[in-house]
Amino acid sequence: MTIEFPSVEPPSEAARREAVARHTVLTKPVGSLGRLEELGAWVAACQGECPPRPFTRPRVVVFAGDHGVAKHGVSAYPSEVTGQMVANFLAGGAAVNVLANVAGATVRVVDVSVDSDTAVGDLKVRRGSGSIDREDALTPEEAVKAVEIGRKLVDDEVDGGADLLIAGDMGIGNTTPAAVLIAALTGAEPVAAVGRGTGVDDQGWMRKTAAIRDALRRARPVIDDPVALLAAASGADIAAMAGFLAQAAVRRTPVILDGVVAGAAAVMAEELAPGAREWWVAGHRSAEPAHALALDHLGLEPLLEFDMRLGEGSGAVAALPLVVMATRVLAEMATFENAGVSGPA
């Protein structure tokens, strides 16, 4: 089975050049705001105009799903936590809720494959995904359905006014398929991709490494077929997130990427819609080693280095104020001429 996305148009190079030129006449030495200047130029390019418009509706969509591999001791937490955390998101009590409130974003949680009933399960593909070390995560039909759900979520959010998107994750065991996908597409060995996830001990780390090794052996023969790879080694939540990130680029909507699970979805989204990476900025670099592999593969430099590894979209939301500041500097800072300030000699 195949999934077709329209060709991704790159952000506007003309708007980017205009933003770079505008930074030379603002009341500061050129380059003195460092990466904030590059970040503002990226926003201008994504919006196709300079100065860029301040964001009015940043939106976080959290993809929730369970993973069969969690039953084999690769996580420090039991699988039932996934469904419990969905309720916590809805009640506003999760870390991403708090961070989003501070950063001016809103949060939506979607149950794609939680292995229990939730209040947001109207888009559920299945209850849990297969244990990828010994079976496929999804059928090809389920993989396509999950990607299409991600596409639909973008259309719903953008049509509803969202002008910046963040994809978050919630799923016990989800760093295991994330590491498999990243290792498969970067050529990394399992030991280079495995991390502590929710905080497994040494025995858990060894079980997780073995699971990634076995899953990677099953995944490598299909790395040239995105649908087959998603079916073999992802999960409905990660497949939906890949569709979400690809469709955001199609809809010319900027995205702040989160950690290792979003990174795995991103490397898959780039396979589905080549060029999508130009519409993304990396919010942070996760403490999970596979995330660094994903960012290198995508050619993205993180905005933050805070050793975060929570997921939920938390690292991306933590970086959101930087994106907002970079945008408003271009939009609101005075020029030398307007302020009556002498420019460089």
Side-chain angles (χ1 to χ4, degrees):
M1 299 184 71
T2 60
I3 303 171
E4 292 188 4
F5 282 83
S7 297
V8 174
E9 296 182 18
S12 169
E13 180 61 23
R16 189 196 70 79
R17 288 195 302 267
E18 190 176 345
V20 171
R22 182 171 172 81
H23 268 298
T24 68
V25 299
L26 298 179
T27 49
K28 60 176 176 56
V30 174
S32 58
L33 287 178
R35 288 194 63 195
L36 282 179
E37 298 187 15
E38 299 174 18
L39 192 55
W42 173 75
V43 173
C46 290
Q47 293 184 357
E49 62 182 78
C50 183
R53 304 179 304 278
F55 294 106
T56 59
R57 196 168 188 267
R59 185 71 156 159
V60 184
V61 178
V62 180
F63 294 79
D66 278 306
H67 297 266
V69 73
K71 298 174 183 176
H72 305 297
V74 300
S75 175
Y77 287 81
S79 292
E80 55 262 29
V81 168
T82 304
Q84 294 164 356
M85 281 300 298
V86 168
N88 193 26
F89 291 127
L90 294 172
V96 73
N97 297 111
V98 177
L99 295 172
N101 285 340
V102 174
T106 55
V107 178
R108 174 182 182 181
V109 59
V110 180
D111 170 3
V112 186
S113 52
V114 179
D115 195 16
S116 61
D117 294 329
T118 70
V120 287
D122 54 316
L123 295 176
K124 191 192 292 278
V125 173
R126 57 182 281 170
R127 292 175 68 106
S129 297
S131 185
I132 58 172
D133 57 336
R134 59 200 71 189
E135 62 182 334
D136 286 351
L138 309 165
T139 66
E141 292 79 13
E142 288 168 341
V144 171
K145 181 178 180 181
V147 171
E148 293 298 334
I149 285 171
R151 296 176 76 166
K152 180 181 184 301
L153 285 168
V154 168
D155 289 339
D156 289 349
E157 295 297 340
V158 173
D159 292 344
D163 50 7
L164 182 146
L165 294 171
I166 291 170
D169 64 274
M170 180 61 232
I172 298 303
N174 64 7
T175 61
T176 298
V180 173
L181 292 172
I182 291 168
L185 289 173
T186 63
E189 292 300 317
V191 71
V194 64
R196 297 281 176 172
T198 51
V200 292
D201 59 16
D202 289 346
Q203 291 296 318
W205 185 90
M206 288 188 283
R207 289 191 296 269
K208 187 174 180 179
T209 301
I212 291 171
R213 177 202 63 209
D214 293 345
L216 192 55
R217 187 179 298 122
R218 299 183 67 260
R220 278 186 169 142
V222 295
I223 59 173
D224 293 328
D225 183 337
V227 173
L229 182 54
L230 287 170
S234 68
D237 50 343
I238 297 176
M241 194 183 301
F244 183 89
L245 295 175
Q247 185 67 7
V250 171
R251 292 297 303 269
R252 304 181 63 85
T253 304
V255 171
I256 307 176
L257 293 180
D258 192 42
V260 68
V261 178
V267 296
M268 288 305 309
E270 179 66 17
E271 295 293 310
L272 292 169
R277 71 179 77 185
E278 296 188 53
W279 292 90
W280 312 327
V281 66
H284 75 125
R285 192 194 315 271
S286 169
E288 288 286 303
H291 191 221
L293 298 173
L295 294 183
D296 288 345
H297 181 74
L298 294 168
L300 299 175
E301 286 292 327
L303 298 176
L304 300 176
E305 297 268 9
F306 279 7
D307 291 333
M308 297 174 71
R309 54 180 175 85
L310 175 62
E312 302 180 4
S314 56
V317 176
L320 174 58
L322 293 175
V323 179
V324 172
M325 285 187 282
T327 304
R328 294 187 66 169
V329 161
L330 272 173
E332 300 174 18
M333 192 171 177
T335 65
F336 287 111
E337 181 180 1
N338 290 342
V341 174
S342 297

